[in-house]
């Protein structure tokens, strides 16, 4: 892989100078969905699939970008002096946004670079290919230009660029999971304080299977920002009657007590999801600590039901995938993962049932939806790294 990328880089940009190779993972969230902008907890992990980057510093101000995933776009050029979000800049708006965000943090990038990327995260799958590119870019800037910045800050910078350069009001989960990833561990993160713990994931005799609906979605044009503002309004209404900072501050009982302050039935359901999902995440992590994988699975299933009925971010593709998964013997838990509206589901499946799972769910999905799903048995990997 690395050799192929290096060859392509040299062919496009020349072989001279100090050429370096990097990697940043994608992520999957096990539970705690749409809680990260509600002051709640999340439980994601980094994957061993992700984005590779080959980079070299330039002496001038020019930025040259090339992606082996979008070869038809050719080399896209820009300059460190002209960092604007532009439609024509396509995927390069992500690295450009990070370079811009470094500047906002008093780390102005003065020189350009040549950057070639290749990602093996299915594009648009909800496994955070964009956050992976953001964290990768930050890591490359740090290494190439010698900035003193922690991985946690790389996550915050990535999120800042996504919010303020690319216009998606995402929370911190994706960039954090990627920047702070640790092999064989999930990250139990409190998004209100950024306190986190690594939890070992030992699924004796079971695998994490990601099922991709192949329904493409873009966060920008999805209802993501709308859900976020519905929750903000609901929070403001509850704050009229009780002093809380976020929906994540509420227990289920407190929510039942105060929910009548929310003046709209839809918003009640949105807020209910945020509160209950946060509590489910706490329970799920506790279940895992007690090695009660079955309870963990039940909480995953309940998470999907809540995302389907109360938060309404699933849709027929994700629902079909999950509901078919629930029918397969040996499935411990299954739910949509990420923003929703398409993308992937995550399932914990007993090893001996994985093949049946792929066949049965794959067939039922194709029969109902009309096109095929893809399945990936994944491993939990480390955060960003320089490979060469
Ligand atoms: C997207 C966002 C995250 C998070 C999830 C939903 O992946 O980027 O911040 O809100 O959706 O849990």
């Amino acid at each position: 892989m690395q050799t192929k990328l290096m060859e392509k880089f040299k062919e496009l940009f020349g072989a001279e100078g100090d050429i370096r190779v990097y990697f940043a993972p994608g992520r999957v969230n096990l539970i705690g969905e749409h809680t990260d902008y509600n002051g709640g907890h999340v439980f994601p992990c980094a994957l061993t699939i992700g984005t590779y980057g080959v980079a070299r510093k330039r002496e001038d101000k020019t930025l040259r970008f090339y992606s082996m995933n979008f070869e038809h776009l050719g080399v896209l050029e820009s300059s460190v002096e002209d960092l604007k979000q532009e439609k024509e800049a396509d995927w390069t708006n992500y690295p450009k946004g990070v370079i811009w965000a470094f500047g906002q943090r008093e780390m102005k990038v003065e020189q350009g670079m040549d950057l070639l990327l290749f990602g093996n995260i299915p594009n648009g799958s909800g496994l955070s290919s964009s956050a992976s590119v953001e964290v990768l870019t930050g890591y490359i800037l740090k290494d190439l230009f010698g900035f003193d910045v922690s991985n946690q800050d790389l996550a915050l910078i990535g999120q800042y660029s996504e919010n303020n350069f690319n216009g998606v009001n995402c929370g911190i989960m994706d960039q954090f999971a990627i920047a702070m990833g640790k092999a064989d561990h999930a990250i139990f993160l409190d998004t209100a304080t950024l306190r986190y713990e690594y939890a070992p994931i030992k699924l004796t005799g079971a695998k994490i299977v990601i099922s991709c609906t192949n329904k493409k979605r873009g966060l920008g044009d999805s209802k993501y920002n709308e859900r976020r503002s519905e929750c903000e309004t609901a929070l403001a209404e509850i704050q009229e009657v009780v002093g809380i900072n976020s929906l994540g501050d509420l227990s289920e009982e407190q929510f039942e007590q105060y929910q009548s302050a929310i003046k709209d039935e839809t918003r009640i359901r949105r807020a209910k999801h945020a509160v209950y999902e946060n509590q489910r995440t706490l329970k799920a992590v506790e279940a895992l600590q007690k090695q009660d994988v079955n309870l963990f699975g039940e909480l995953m299933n309940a998470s999907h039901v809540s995302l389907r009925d109360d938060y309404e971010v699933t849709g027929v593709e994700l629902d079909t995938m999950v509901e078919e998964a629930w029918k397969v013997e040996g499935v411990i838990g299954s739910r949509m993962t990420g923003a929703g509206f398409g993308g992937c589901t995550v399932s914990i499946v007993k090893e001996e049932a994985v093949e049946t799972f792929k066949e049965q769910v794959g067939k039922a999905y194709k029969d109902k939806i009309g096109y095929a799903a893809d399945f990936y048995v994944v491993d939990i990997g480390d955060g960003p790294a320089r490979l060469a």
Side-chain angles (χ1 to χ4, degrees), residues 27 29 32-37 42 126-128 130-131 159 162 168-175 217 219 224 228 273 277 307 311 335-340:
R27 71 96 187 88
N29 188 23
E33 215 66 84
H34 289 279
T35 49
D36 67 344
Y37 50 86
V42 293
L127 302 178
S128 289
S130 55
Q159 183 202 18
E162 179 125 8
V168 179
N169 274 330
C170 65
I172 188 62
M173 171 171 74
D174 302 347
Q175 290 83 2
R217 49 146 213 113
L219 275 187
Y224 186 88
R228 191 171 174 149
H273 168 78
E277 179 75 355
L307 288 155
Y311 218 61
R335 57 181 289 277
M336 60 149 269
T337 184

CSV table of all heavy atoms in Angstrom, one decimal, residues 27 29 32-37 42 126-128 130-131 159 162 168-175 217 219 224 228 273 277 307 311 335-340, ligand 1:
chain,number,residue,atom,x,y,z
A,27,ARG,N,-13.6,5.8,12.3
A,27,ARG,CA,-14.2,5.4,13.6
A,27,ARG,C,-15.5,4.8,13.5
A,27,ARG,O,-16.3,5.1,12.5
A,27,ARG,CB,-14.3,6.6,14.6
A,27,ARG,CG,-15.3,7.7,14.3
A,27,ARG,CD,-16.6,7.5,15.1
A,27,ARG,NE,-17.7,8.4,14.6
A,27,ARG,CZ,-18.5,8.1,13.6
A,27,ARG,NH1,-18.4,7.0,13.0
A,27,ARG,NH2,-19.5,9.0,13.3
A,29,ASN,N,-18.9,4.3,16.2
A,29,ASN,CA,-19.5,4.5,17.5
A,29,ASN,C,-20.3,3.3,18.0
A,29,ASN,O,-21.2,2.9,17.3
A,29,ASN,CB,-20.3,5.8,17.5
A,29,ASN,CG,-20.7,6.2,18.9
A,29,ASN,OD1,-20.1,5.8,19.9
A,29,ASN,ND2,-21.8,7.0,19.0
A,32,GLY,N,-24.2,5.7,22.2
A,32,GLY,CA,-24.1,7.1,22.5
A,32,GLY,C,-24.2,8.0,21.3
A,32,GLY,O,-23.2,8.6,20.9
A,33,GLU,N,-25.4,7.9,20.6
A,33,GLU,CA,-25.5,8.6,19.3
A,33,GLU,C,-26.3,9.9,19.5
A,33,GLU,O,-27.4,9.9,20.1
A,33,GLU,CB,-26.2,7.7,18.4
A,33,GLU,CG,-25.7,7.8,16.9
A,33,GLU,CD,-24.3,7.3,16.8
A,33,GLU,OE1,-24.1,6.1,16.7
A,33,GLU,OE2,-23.4,8.2,16.8
A,34,HIS,N,-25.8,10.9,18.8
A,34,HIS,CA,-26.4,12.3,18.9
A,34,HIS,C,-26.5,12.8,20.4
A,34,HIS,O,-27.4,13.4,20.8
A,34,HIS,CB,-27.8,12.3,18.3
A,34,HIS,CG,-27.7,12.2,16.8
A,34,HIS,ND1,-27.5,13.3,16.0
A,34,HIS,CD2,-27.9,11.1,15.9
A,34,HIS,CE1,-27.4,12.8,14.7
A,34,HIS,NE2,-27.7,11.5,14.7
A,35,THR,N,-25.5,12.4,21.1
A,35,THR,CA,-25.4,12.9,22.5
A,35,THR,C,-24.2,13.9,22.6
A,35,THR,O,-24.1,14.6,23.6
A,35,THR,CB,-25.1,11.7,23.5
A,35,THR,OG1,-24.0,10.9,22.9
A,35,THR,CG2,-26.3,10.8,23.7
A,36,ASP,N,-23.3,13.9,21.6
A,36,ASP,CA,-22.1,14.6,21.8
A,36,ASP,C,-22.3,16.2,21.7
A,36,ASP,O,-21.5,16.9,22.3
A,36,ASP,CB,-21.0,14.2,20.9
A,36,ASP,CG,-21.2,14.4,19.4
A,36,ASP,OD1,-22.3,14.7,19.0
A,36,ASP,OD2,-20.2,14.4,18.7
A,37,TYR,N,-23.4,16.6,21.1
A,37,TYR,CA,-23.6,18.1,21.1
A,37,TYR,C,-24.7,18.3,22.2
A,37,TYR,O,-25.3,19.4,22.2
A,37,TYR,CB,-24.0,18.6,19.7
A,37,TYR,CG,-25.1,17.8,19.1
A,37,TYR,CD1,-26.5,18.0,19.3
A,37,TYR,CD2,-24.8,16.7,18.2
A,37,TYR,CE1,-27.5,17.3,18.7
A,37,TYR,CE2,-25.8,16.0,17.6
A,37,TYR,CZ,-27.1,16.3,17.8
A,37,TYR,OH,-28.1,15.5,17.2
A,42,VAL,N,-20.3,9.4,24.9
A,42,VAL,CA,-20.2,8.6,23.7
A,42,VAL,C,-19.2,7.5,23.9
A,42,VAL,O,-18.4,7.5,24.9
A,42,VAL,CB,-19.7,9.5,22.5
A,42,VAL,CG1,-20.8,10.5,22.1
A,42,VAL,CG2,-18.4,10.1,22.8
A,126,GLY,N,-20.5,7.0,6.9
A,126,GLY,CA,-20.8,7.4,8.3
A,126,GLY,C,-19.7,6.8,9.2
A,126,GLY,O,-19.9,6.7,10.4
A,127,LEU,N,-18.5,6.5,8.6
A,127,LEU,CA,-17.4,6.0,9.5
A,127,LEU,C,-16.4,7.1,9.6
A,127,LEU,O,-15.2,6.9,9.8
A,127,LEU,CB,-16.8,4.7,8.9
A,127,LEU,CG,-17.7,3.6,8.7
A,127,LEU,CD1,-17.0,2.4,8.1
A,127,LEU,CD2,-18.3,3.2,10.1
A,128,SER,N,-16.8,8.3,9.3
A,128,SER,CA,-16.0,9.6,9.5
A,128,SER,C,-14.8,9.7,8.6
A,128,SER,O,-13.7,10.1,9.1
A,128,SER,CB,-15.5,9.6,11.0
A,128,SER,OG,-16.6,9.9,11.8
A,130,SER,N,-14.4,12.2,6.7
A,130,SER,CA,-14.0,13.6,6.8
A,130,SER,C,-13.2,13.9,8.0
A,130,SER,O,-12.2,14.6,8.0
A,130,SER,CB,-15.2,14.5,6.6
A,130,SER,OG,-16.2,14.2,7.5
A,131,ALA,N,-13.7,13.4,9.2
A,131,ALA,CA,-12.9,13.6,10.4
A,131,ALA,C,-11.5,13.0,10.3
A,131,ALA,O,-10.6,13.5,10.8
A,131,ALA,CB,-13.7,13.1,11.6
A,159,GLN,N,-12.6,19.6,14.7
A,159,GLN,CA,-14.1,20.0,14.8
A,159,GLN,C,-14.3,21.4,14.5
A,159,GLN,O,-15.3,21.8,13.9
A,159,GLN,CB,-14.5,19.7,16.3
A,159,GLN,CG,-16.0,19.9,16.5
A,159,GLN,CD,-16.3,20.2,18.0
A,159,GLN,OE1,-15.4,20.5,18.8
A,159,GLN,NE2,-17.6,20.1,18.3
A,162,GLU,N,-14.4,21.9,10.9
A,162,GLU,CA,-15.7,21.4,10.3
A,162,GLU,C,-16.9,22.3,10.6
A,162,GLU,O,-17.7,22.6,9.7
A,162,GLU,CB,-15.9,20.0,10.9
A,162,GLU,CG,-17.2,19.4,10.3
A,162,GLU,CD,-17.0,18.0,9.7
A,162,GLU,OE1,-16.0,17.4,9.7
A,162,GLU,OE2,-18.0,17.5,9.1
A,168,VAL,N,-20.7,22.4,9.1
A,168,VAL,CA,-21.4,21.3,9.7
A,168,VAL,C,-21.2,21.4,11.2
A,168,VAL,O,-20.1,21.4,11.7
A,168,VAL,CB,-21.0,19.9,9.2
A,168,VAL,CG1,-21.8,18.8,9.9
A,168,VAL,CG2,-21.2,19.8,7.7
A,169,ASN,N,-22.3,21.5,11.9
A,169,ASN,CA,-22.2,21.8,13.4
A,169,ASN,C,-22.0,20.5,14.1
A,169,ASN,O,-22.7,20.2,15.1
A,169,ASN,CB,-23.5,22.4,13.9
A,169,ASN,CG,-23.5,23.9,13.7
A,169,ASN,OD1,-22.4,24.5,13.8
A,169,ASN,ND2,-24.7,24.5,13.5
A,170,CYS,N,-21.1,19.6,13.7
A,170,CYS,CA,-20.9,18.4,14.4
A,170,CYS,C,-20.3,18.5,15.8
A,170,CYS,O,-19.8,19.6,16.1
A,170,CYS,CB,-19.9,17.5,13.6
A,170,CYS,SG,-18.2,18.2,13.5
A,171,GLY,N,-20.5,17.5,16.6
A,171,GLY,CA,-19.9,17.5,17.9
A,171,GLY,C,-18.5,17.1,17.9
A,171,GLY,O,-17.9,17.0,16.8
A,172,ILE,N,-17.9,16.7,19.0
A,172,ILE,CA,-16.5,16.4,19.1
A,172,ILE,C,-16.2,14.9,18.9
A,172,ILE,O,-15.0,14.5,18.7
A,172,ILE,CB,-15.9,16.9,20.5
A,172,ILE,CG1,-14.4,16.7,20.5
A,172,ILE,CG2,-16.6,16.1,21.6
A,172,ILE,CD1,-13.6,17.6,19.5
A,173,MET,N,-17.3,14.0,18.9
A,173,MET,CA,-17.0,12.6,19.0
A,173,MET,C,-16.0,12.1,17.9
A,173,MET,O,-15.1,11.4,18.2
A,173,MET,CB,-18.3,11.8,18.8
A,173,MET,CG,-18.1,10.3,18.7
A,173,MET,SD,-19.5,9.4,18.8
A,173,MET,CE,-20.4,9.7,17.2
A,174,ASP,N,-16.3,12.4,16.6
A,174,ASP,CA,-15.5,11.7,15.5
A,174,ASP,C,-14.1,12.1,15.6
A,174,ASP,O,-13.2,11.2,15.5
A,174,ASP,CB,-16.1,12.2,14.2
A,174,ASP,CG,-17.6,11.8,14.0
A,174,ASP,OD1,-18.1,11.1,14.9
A,174,ASP,OD2,-18.2,12.3,13.1
A,175,GLN,N,-13.8,13.4,15.7
A,175,GLN,CA,-12.4,13.8,15.7
A,175,GLN,C,-11.7,13.3,16.9
A,175,GLN,O,-10.5,12.9,16.9
A,175,GLN,CB,-12.3,15.3,15.6
A,175,GLN,CG,-12.7,15.9,14.3
A,175,GLN,CD,-14.3,16.1,14.2
A,175,GLN,OE1,-15.0,15.8,15.1
A,175,GLN,NE2,-14.7,16.6,13.0
A,217,ARG,N,-25.0,9.8,1.8
A,217,ARG,CA,-25.5,11.0,2.5
A,217,ARG,C,-24.4,11.9,2.7
A,217,ARG,O,-23.2,11.6,2.8
A,217,ARG,CB,-26.2,10.6,3.8
A,217,ARG,CG,-25.3,9.8,4.7
A,217,ARG,CD,-25.3,9.9,6.1
A,217,ARG,NE,-24.0,9.6,6.5
A,217,ARG,CZ,-23.2,10.5,7.0
A,217,ARG,NH1,-23.5,11.7,7.3
A,217,ARG,NH2,-21.9,10.1,7.3
A,219,LEU,N,-23.5,15.1,5.4
A,219,LEU,CA,-24.0,15.7,6.6
A,219,LEU,C,-24.6,17.1,6.4
A,219,LEU,O,-25.6,17.5,6.9
A,219,LEU,CB,-22.9,15.9,7.6
A,219,LEU,CG,-22.6,14.7,8.5
A,219,LEU,CD1,-21.5,15.1,9.5
A,219,LEU,CD2,-23.8,14.2,9.2
A,224,TYR,N,-29.0,16.9,10.0
A,224,TYR,CA,-28.2,17.0,11.2
A,224,TYR,C,-28.3,18.3,12.0
A,224,TYR,O,-28.6,18.3,13.2
A,224,TYR,CB,-26.7,16.7,10.8
A,224,TYR,CG,-25.8,16.6,12.0
A,224,TYR,CD1,-25.6,15.4,12.6
A,224,TYR,CD2,-25.1,17.7,12.5
A,224,TYR,CE1,-24.7,15.3,13.7
A,224,TYR,CE2,-24.3,17.6,13.6
A,224,TYR,CZ,-24.1,16.4,14.2
A,224,TYR,OH,-23.3,16.3,15.3
A,228,ARG,N,-29.9,19.2,15.8
A,228,ARG,CA,-29.1,20.0,16.8
A,228,ARG,C,-29.9,21.2,17.3
A,228,ARG,O,-30.0,21.4,18.5
A,228,ARG,CB,-27.8,20.4,16.2
A,228,ARG,CG,-26.8,20.9,17.2
A,228,ARG,CD,-25.4,21.1,16.7
A,228,ARG,NE,-24.7,21.7,17.8
A,228,ARG,CZ,-23.4,21.5,18.1
A,228,ARG,NH1,-22.7,20.8,17.3
A,228,ARG,NH2,-22.9,22.1,19.1
A,273,HIS,N,-34.7,11.3,23.5
A,273,HIS,CA,-33.6,10.5,23.0
A,273,HIS,C,-32.3,10.9,23.6
A,273,HIS,O,-31.5,10.1,24.0
A,273,HIS,CB,-33.5,10.6,21.5
A,273,HIS,CG,-32.3,10.0,21.0
A,273,HIS,ND1,-32.1,8.6,20.9
A,273,HIS,CD2,-31.1,10.5,20.6
A,273,HIS,CE1,-30.8,8.3,20.5
A,273,HIS,NE2,-30.2,9.5,20.3
A,277,GLU,N,-30.5,8.2,25.8
A,277,GLU,CA,-29.3,7.6,25.1
A,277,GLU,C,-28.1,7.8,25.9
A,277,GLU,O,-27.2,7.0,26.0
A,277,GLU,CB,-29.2,8.3,23.7
A,277,GLU,CG,-27.9,7.8,22.9
A,277,GLU,CD,-28.1,6.4,22.3
A,277,GLU,OE1,-29.2,5.7,22.6
A,277,GLU,OE2,-27.2,5.9,21.6
A,307,LEU,N,-33.4,6.0,18.2
A,307,LEU,CA,-33.0,6.8,17.0
A,307,LEU,C,-34.0,6.7,15.9
A,307,LEU,O,-34.2,7.7,15.1
A,307,LEU,CB,-31.6,6.3,16.5
A,307,LEU,CG,-30.5,6.7,17.5
A,307,LEU,CD1,-29.3,5.7,17.3
A,307,LEU,CD2,-30.0,8.1,17.3
A,311,TYR,N,-35.8,10.1,17.7
A,311,TYR,CA,-34.9,11.0,17.0
A,311,TYR,C,-35.1,11.1,15.5
A,311,TYR,O,-34.8,12.1,14.9
A,311,TYR,CB,-33.5,10.7,17.4
A,311,TYR,CG,-32.6,11.9,17.6
A,311,TYR,CD1,-33.0,12.8,18.7
A,311,TYR,CD2,-31.6,12.3,16.8
A,311,TYR,CE1,-32.2,14.0,18.9
A,311,TYR,CE2,-30.8,13.4,17.0
A,311,TYR,CZ,-31.2,14.3,18.0
A,311,TYR,OH,-30.5,15.4,18.3
A,335,ARG,N,-27.3,-1.8,15.7
A,335,ARG,CA,-27.9,-0.4,15.7
A,335,ARG,C,-27.2,0.4,14.6
A,335,ARG,O,-26.2,0.0,14.0
A,335,ARG,CB,-27.6,0.3,17.0
A,335,ARG,CG,-26.2,0.4,17.4
A,335,ARG,CD,-26.0,1.0,18.7
A,335,ARG,NE,-26.2,2.4,18.6
A,335,ARG,CZ,-25.4,3.4,18.2
A,335,ARG,NH1,-24.2,3.1,17.9
A,335,ARG,NH2,-25.7,4.6,18.1
A,336,MET,N,-27.9,1.5,14.2
A,336,MET,CA,-27.2,2.4,13.3
A,336,MET,C,-26.1,3.1,14.0
A,336,MET,O,-26.1,3.2,15.2
A,336,MET,CB,-28.2,3.5,12.7
A,336,MET,CG,-28.8,4.3,13.8
A,336,MET,SD,-29.2,6.0,13.2
A,336,MET,CE,-27.7,6.9,13.7
A,337,THR,N,-25.1,3.6,13.3
A,337,THR,CA,-24.0,4.3,13.9
A,337,THR,C,-23.7,5.5,13.1
A,337,THR,O,-23.9,5.6,11.9
A,337,THR,CB,-22.7,3.3,14.0
A,337,THR,OG1,-21.7,4.0,14.7
A,337,THR,CG2,-22.2,2.9,12.6
A,338,GLY,N,-23.2,6.6,13.9
A,338,GLY,CA,-22.9,7.8,13.2
A,338,GLY,C,-24.1,8.7,13.1
A,338,GLY,O,-25.1,8.6,13.9
A,339,ALA,N,-24.1,9.6,12.2
A,339,ALA,CA,-25.2,10.6,12.1
A,339,ALA,C,-26.6,10.0,11.7
A,339,ALA,O,-27.6,10.5,12.1
A,339,ALA,CB,-24.8,11.7,11.1
A,340,GLY,N,-26.5,9.0,10.9
A,340,GLY,CA,-27.8,8.4,10.4
A,340,GLY,C,-28.1,8.8,9.0
A,340,GLY,O,-27.3,9.3,8.3
B,1,LIG,C1,-21.8,12.7,13.3
B,1,LIG,C2,-21.2,13.9,14.0
B,1,LIG,C3,-20.8,13.6,15.5
B,1,LIG,C4,-22.0,13.0,16.2
B,1,LIG,C5,-22.7,11.9,15.4
B,1,LIG,C6,-24.0,11.4,16.0
B,1,LIG,O1,-20.9,11.7,13.2
B,1,LIG,O2,-20.0,14.3,13.4
B,1,LIG,O3,-20.3,14.7,16.1
B,1,LIG,O4,-23.0,14.0,16.5
B,1,LIG,O5,-23.0,12.3,14.0
B,1,LIG,O6,-23.8,10.8,17.2
